Amino acid sequence: MGGMHRRVVIVIFDGFQLLDLAGPADVFATASMLSEGHGYRLEVAAVRAGAVQAQNRVTTVAQTALGEITGPIDTLLVVGGLSAAERPLEQELVEEVARLAPSARRVASVCTGAFILAEAGLLDGRRATTHWLMTDRLGGRYPDVTVDADPIYVKDGHVWTSAGVSAGVDLALALVAEDHGHALARAVACGLVVYLHRPGGQSQFSTQMNALTPRSEPLRELQAFIDAHPTEDLSVPALARHAGMSERHFSRVFTEQTGMSPGRYVERSRADAARRLLEITGHPLDRVARESGLGVPETLYRVFRRHWRISPGDYRRRFQAKES
């Protein structure tokens, strides 16, 4: 398709998640601006052309009715929204997605858009993901789909699915990278001031998501400090000084408000940092141990096994296999 604009049809419906549309659309539009004639031509479509109200009550316009779309499509992208996870889905929406899919080079969904793909039979026998809150429902409703609750996005053949909301940006960056290379995807990410292309196998979950959000602003700031500075002194005395509390009071309040002790939070945060380094770098394990704050490979191995139930080396090999 050298020198041509790839046709991207984005499917919306009443109650869709606005960011599921806006995030990928801005990625594709920015790629078009930066790629000098090798970008994308976007079409927003719904069962009926015209005004479509998003879940947040912002109204957008579908330029085209799905029934009017003909001809080849490069990418058919179905957005999500709470209504997409409910039954019954609008039958015409499902039928039109099923009709258009064979004419698309690839099919993708953002968040609960996976339910529409599944209802159309497009995920049968495939591995897929969706928002982590909805993975059990997706797997229970569609037993022929292998649901993976962990990754940000999944590619199975020509079908891509992604996790919740902002993961649609990661999905779109991955599609741009597949089409035009990682250099353009990085340039788009820089232009949009977003994370530089998180790998698809990276987990939807983080230490902060597994911990409760503290009511106290100083403790929320301390959580962010811990996650951003894994190699700092994160002992209880140091953290208590950082929070301006006595050690005993700090330990009690932190545990009460986050659901885990300071020591456990720090260890889990460092394990998270090690996992990210294993995903996005080729660093040897001794360097991963140092840069994640775990010190030495023996500690890295012990902590990684405790939190992820797999060795660091095996995790990196499995992650790379997922990405390929």
Side-chain angles (χ1 to χ4, degrees), residues 45-308:
V47 170
R48 287 162 289 280
V52 181
Q53 190 175 82
Q55 186 177 306
N56 62 6
R57 298 187 177 277
V58 172
T59 298
T60 189
V61 174
Q63 304 146 312
T64 311
L66 286 168
E68 297 173 359
I69 295 177
T70 59
I73 299 168
D74 182 81
T75 304
L76 178 66
L77 177 65
V78 181
V79 305
L82 289 177
S83 61
E86 302 298 329
R87 267 187 166 166
L89 291 167
E90 186 175 4
Q91 193 59 32
E92 189 174 353
L93 172 64
V94 175
E95 290 174 356
E96 288 297 335
V97 168
R99 178 183 70 83
L100 292 172
S103 64
R105 180 175 68 91
R106 64 189 171 199
V107 177
S109 65
V110 181
C111 196
T112 54
F115 283 80
I116 297 171
L117 297 190
E119 187 71 18
L122 301 173
L123 299 184
D124 288 354
R126 297 187 184 276
R127 180 170 155 263
T129 194
T130 187
H131 192 293
W132 63 274
L133 283 171
M134 296 292 180
T135 50
D136 286 347
R137 185 182 299 188
L138 182 65
R141 188 177 298 174
Y142 304 102
D144 291 335
V145 181
T146 301
V147 179
D148 191 338
D150 197 46
I152 291 174
Y153 60 81
V154 168
K155 177 187 179 185
D156 189 328
H158 73 293
V159 178
W160 300 64
T161 51
S162 74
V165 195
S166 66
V169 171
D170 299 288
L171 171 69
L173 286 169
L175 298 178
V176 169
E178 181 181 67
D179 296 340
H180 301 292
H182 290 281
L184 179 61
R186 285 194 295 272
V188 172
C190 287
L192 295 176
V193 197
V194 296
Y195 194 97
L196 292 178
H197 188 195
R198 291 185 293 178
Q202 183 171 313
S203 176
Q204 296 186 40
F205 304 98
S206 68
T207 303
Q208 281 198 341
M209 288 176 68
N210 281 281
L212 299 175
T213 300
R215 299 185 301 276
S216 164
E217 178 65 23
L219 290 187
R220 290 197 295 272
E221 292 176 356
L222 187 62
Q223 274 188 333
F225 176 82
I226 291 169
D227 292 335
H229 301 87
T231 61
E232 296 281 334
D233 178 3
L234 301 179
S235 64
V236 168
L239 293 176
R241 286 195 301 273
H242 198 281
M245 302 178 186
S246 70
E247 292 179 30
R248 182 176 180 182
H249 182 60
F250 166 72
S251 293
R252 181 180 63 79
V253 172
F254 188 95
T255 303
E256 176 188 280
Q257 293 195 23
T258 67
M260 60 178 72
S261 69
R264 179 168 176 77
Y265 186 91
V266 168
E267 184 179 274
R268 181 60 182 260
S269 179
R270 285 172 166 164
D272 241 359
R275 181 168 56 80
R276 290 193 297 273
L277 288 168
L278 291 168
E279 291 172 351
I280 65 176
T281 76
H283 296 341
L285 295 185
D286 59 343
R287 183 173 174 183
V288 171
R290 287 196 308 274
E291 293 189 5
S292 63
L294 293 171
V296 295
E298 292 77 13
T299 304
L300 169 66
Y301 182 87
R302 185 175 64 254
V303 169
F304 213 85
R305 291 282 302 184
R306 176 155 57 238
H307 289 280
W308 309 122

